[in-house]
């Protein structure tokens, strides 16, 4: 049942009511009642362990599993509080401490006690469990009563568990331990090691009693049975946590460490990778003559392979952008050829925008005003199929409102979500979905799109993970994003950081850090002053 053995050995390890057999001369009814009590105790213990291990098996993150371990152990040993200290002996981390009914300040106080005086500290440091205990005096069940070394005032068991049953009354106790225990209001502790065959010893758990006490032999046995399953589950989650951290670190190193400073443009980005590490990426790079390049894309797959492919694709796009950034179609064409030749089994989406330096005196012209041009329309527009707003086709999107300077933006997309232009007088999608992703066709090609954002407008690039995390069908997700952008408070419209935070809060109330979602999220906002 959920990773535990079907039977518990020896009646002395089960319910107290089942530990004493009826005397030899007892009537048959008493002997039958004793057997029934013993069976009831076994069934009760098995049911308890099944329920606790089943709850632990539902945990999907290392932190959740550690908290469940503390909660279950506290119920088994009869304690209210505890903490688990994670310190893998291989030195690969993570090193952390999690408390149950113990705050960060309390943990800080406990950490001021010399480790050799703490039961769990002795376990983690591999110090001797007993000091001068007579092995011949060991009890038949394998426990040895003896004071641990260095005045820790503990009782060590043959299974590696250590109890400190009377911290206030134990003579020779470390004074700092006595002081901290009195301050935090606990009088006894019981600690067990956490180890597994795959990773060795990786931590220790300790439970704290409000009054002098120690677990009974039955409670120790139940904790031991539970711990046998829990440590294997924790070891698997530890390895998974390390893999995810390695992928996240690699991903962070492959993405821009900071956004560039470009005159007349303010940038903001929000991004989060899924638990398996995905291939979504973004970039913003200054180009010659005061121009700016903005890029966003996604590589198929998850894990280290997708992250590495994402890094290669981003680096290649940067090189192509420097050489021919003024022609986004040429940039994506080169990228598609590279992808097809070097990684034929992989596909990707991408969008690249080339923003020229502002041209003085051109703010009122643009290549098409609101409501004019074959491809443009002002306001919210009628939108294309599947999009709540946004002019279909290709061509130019004119500036709105006039000004003393205008900036022409040329962009092209390869199967990526269309960007969104957000301003005081319009919120509309820019149609760039008239092409397939890179690597899907024998010869990729797509039209480019021109737009001239008015001063005070923001160009928003985003990944499809933002839409998928809403849990809505894609057409509804597009509508929700458009509505959220149209509802941005006026004060936030001129602050790209505030705008990005508003959109995320509106679309993802739970925030970016959702461990249950496999989707990457990227949000890149460029505000034009």
């Amino acid at each position: 049942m959920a990773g535990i053995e079907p039977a518990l050995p020896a009646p002395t390890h089960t319910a107290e009511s089942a530990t004493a057999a009826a005397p030899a001369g007892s009537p048959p009814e008493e002997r039958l009642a004793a057997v029934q009590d013993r069976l009831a105790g076994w069934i009760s213990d098995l049911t308890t362990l099944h329920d606790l291990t089943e709850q632990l098996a539902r945990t999907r993150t290392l932190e959740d599993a550690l908290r469940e371990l503390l909660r279950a152990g506290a119920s088994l040993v009869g304690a209210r509080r505890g903490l688990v200290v994670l310190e893998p002996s291989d030195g690969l981390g993570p090193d952390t401490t999690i408390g149950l009914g113990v705050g960060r300040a309390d943990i800080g106080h406990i950490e001021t006690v010399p480790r050799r005086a703490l039961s769990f500290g002795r376990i983690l440091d591999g110090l001797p469990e007993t000091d001068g205990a007579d092995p011949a005096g060991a009890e038949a069940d394998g426990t040895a009563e003896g004071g641990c070394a260095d005045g820790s005032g503990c009782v060590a068991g043959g299974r590696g568990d250590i109890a400190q049953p009377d911290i206030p009354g134990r003579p020779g106790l470390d004074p700092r331990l006595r002081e901290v225990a009195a301050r935090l209001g606990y009088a006894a502790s019981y600690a067990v090691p956490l180890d597994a065959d795959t990773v060795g010893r990786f931590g220790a758990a300790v439970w704290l009693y409000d009054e002098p006490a120690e677990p009974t032999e039955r409670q120790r046995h139940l904790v031991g049975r539970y711990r046998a399953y829990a440590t294997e589950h924790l070891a698997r989650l530890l390895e998974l946590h390390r893999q995810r951290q390695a992928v996240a670190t690699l991903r962070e190193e492959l993405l821009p460490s900071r956004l560039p400073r470009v005159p007349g443009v303010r940038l903001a980005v929000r991004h989060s990778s899924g638990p398996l590490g995905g291939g979504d990426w973004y970039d913003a790079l200054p180009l010659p003559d005061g121009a700016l390049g903005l890029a966003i894309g996604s590589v198929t797959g998850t894990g280290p392979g997708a992250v590495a492919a994402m890094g290669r694709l981003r680096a290649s796009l940067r090189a192509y952008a420097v050489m021919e950034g003024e022609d986004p179609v040429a940039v994506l064409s080169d990228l598609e050829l590279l992808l097809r030749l070097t990684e034929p089994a992989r596909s990707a989406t991408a969008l690249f925008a080339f923003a020229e330096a502002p041209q003085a005196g051109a703010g009122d012209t643009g290549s098409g005003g609101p409501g004019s041009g074959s491809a443009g329309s002002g306001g919210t527009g009628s939108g294309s199929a599947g999009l709540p707003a946004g002019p279909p086709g290709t061509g130019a999107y004119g500036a709105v409102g006039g000004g003393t300077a205008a900036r022409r933006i040329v962009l092209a997309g390869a199967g990526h979500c269309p960007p969104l232009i957000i301003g005081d007088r319009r919120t509309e999608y820019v149609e760039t979905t008239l092409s397939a992703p890179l690597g899907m066709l024998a010869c990729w090609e797509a039209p480019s799109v021109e737009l001239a954002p008015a001063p005070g407008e923001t160009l928003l690039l985003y990944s499809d993970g933002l839409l998928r995390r809403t849990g809505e069908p894609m057409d509804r997700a597009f509508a929700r994003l458009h509505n959220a952008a149209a509802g941005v408070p006026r004060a936030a419209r001129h602050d790209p950081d505030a705008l990005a935070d508003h959109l995320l809060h509106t679309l993802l109330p739970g925030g970016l850090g959702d461990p249950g979602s496999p989707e990457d999220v990227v949000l890149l906002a460029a505000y034009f002053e």
Side-chain angles (χ1 to χ4, degrees):
M1 289 184 288
I4 65 174
E5 295 182 6
L8 299 178
T12 56
H13 292 170
T14 57
E16 300 292 344
S17 61
T19 59
S26 300
E29 302 84 32
E30 292 185 12
R31 293 199 298 270
L32 178 61
V35 171
Q36 290 175 337
D37 287 346
R38 183 174 303 179
L39 289 175
W42 289 346
I43 293 173
S44 174
D45 289 343
L46 284 171
T47 302
T48 298
L49 290 175
H50 175 268
D51 292 342
L52 293 178
T53 53
E54 192 174 57
Q55 292 178 42
L56 181 68
R58 295 194 189 103
T59 58
R60 291 294 179 264
T61 65
L62 182 60
E63 182 176 347
D64 288 344
L66 292 173
R67 295 190 185 281
E68 178 59 28
L69 168 74
L70 281 175
R71 188 198 65 79
S75 68
L76 290 175
V77 303
R80 288 195 313 113
R81 295 179 288 172
L83 64 151
V84 59
V85 182
L86 203 65
E87 290 184 11
S89 58
D90 57 14
L92 299 180
D95 295 347
T96 186
T97 301
I98 294 176
L100 172 69
V102 178
R104 296 304 307 176
D106 298 334
I107 294 174
H109 287 304
I110 294 174
E111 289 174 345
T112 65
V113 179
R115 281 170 68 95
R116 64 186 182 183
L118 293 167
S119 55
F120 67 88
R122 302 184 64 81
I123 291 174
L124 292 171
D125 293 343
L127 296 177
E129 294 176 359
T130 60
D131 181 25
D134 182 8
E139 300 179 0
D141 62 9
T143 60
E145 296 292 337
C148 289
D150 306 312
S152 60
C154 62
V155 178
R159 294 174 294 270
D161 53 339
I162 300 178
Q164 291 177 313
D166 188 3
I167 293 176
R170 181 81 181 201
L173 192 69
D174 185 276
R176 182 57 184 164
L177 173 58
R178 197 189 309 274
E179 177 186 346
V180 169
R183 172 178 290 189
L184 301 186
Y186 70 91
S189 68
Y190 177 64
V192 298
L194 302 177
D195 42 33
D197 294 338
T198 55
V199 295
R201 180 155 297 178
F202 58 89
V206 59
W207 291 277
L208 308 175
Y209 294 89
D210 295 341
E211 302 292 337
E214 64 177 301
T216 65
E217 182 56 29
R218 167 182 169 263
Q219 290 173 324
R220 289 175 186 252
H221 177 78
L222 289 177
V223 168
R225 303 303 299 165
Y226 176 77
R227 183 165 55 97
Y229 171 80
T231 50
E232 294 301 323
H233 181 68
L234 287 169
R236 291 191 293 270
L237 291 179
L238 176 61
E239 290 296 325
L240 181 59
H241 177 83
R242 287 174 170 177
Q243 294 174 10
R244 290 173 175 173
Q245 289 297 108
V247 171
T249 300
L250 175 62
R251 175 182 165 85
E252 292 298 322
E253 292 297 322
L254 292 176
L255 290 175
S257 58
R258 61 182 181 85
L259 296 174
R261 294 181 179 274
V262 178
V265 182
R266 282 188 284 155
L267 301 172
V269 68
R270 301 291 184 271
H271 69 94
S272 173
S273 60
L276 300 180
D280 287 10
W281 55 277
Y282 69 93
D283 207 349
L285 64 156
L287 296 174
D289 301 324
L292 172 67
L294 300 172
I296 191 169
S298 177
V299 177
T300 55
T302 58
V307 174
M310 173 267 288
R312 291 190 293 268
L313 205 66
R314 172 179 171 259
S316 301
L317 186 140
R318 289 175 71 90
Y320 297 143
V322 170
M323 293 186 295
E324 48 191 3
E326 69 280 356
D327 186 354
V329 172
V331 171
L332 294 185
S333 296
D334 292 342
L335 198 64
E336 194 275 338
L337 178 60
L338 178 71
L339 186 71
R340 183 150 43 90
L341 293 177
T342 59
E343 301 188 54
R346 199 179 293 276
S347 64
T349 66
L351 187 146
F352 178 71
F354 175 81
E356 294 180 346
Q359 303 297 318
D364 295 325
T365 58
S367 53
S372 65
S374 60
S377 65
T380 59
S382 58
S384 60
L387 300 180
T394 62
Y397 292 76
V400 175
T404 59
R407 186 187 296 266
R408 188 177 72 103
I409 298 178
V410 184
L411 57 88
H416 201 80
C417 299
L420 190 62
I421 190 77
I422 304 170
D424 291 335
R425 297 181 58 186
R426 62 172 174 174
T427 299
E428 60 187 24
Y429 286 103
V430 180
E431 181 59 74
T432 59
T433 57
L434 299 179
S435 70
L438 303 175
M440 297 292 289
L441 302 178
C443 182
W444 178 88
E445 61 179 68
S448 63
V449 179
E450 290 188 12
L451 65 149
E457 291 189 328
T458 299
L459 181 67
L460 184 72
L461 310 183
Y462 55 94
S463 66
D464 62 351
L466 176 67
L467 304 175
R468 297 185 188 281
R469 278 207 189 182
T470 64
E472 301 276 5
M474 290 302 285
D475 56 343
R476 288 190 177 182
F478 275 115
R480 284 190 60 184
L481 174 58
H482 180 271
N483 292 337
V488 173
R490 183 173 295 273
R493 288 180 181 270
H494 304 284
D495 182 350
D497 284 292
L499 185 146
D501 290 338
H502 174 84
L503 292 179
L504 288 176
H505 179 73
T506 303
L507 295 173
L508 310 176
L512 285 176
D514 181 5
S517 174
E519 300 291 344
D520 293 3
V521 174
V522 177
L523 194 66
L524 177 61
Y527 173 78
F528 297 96
E529 296 176 338

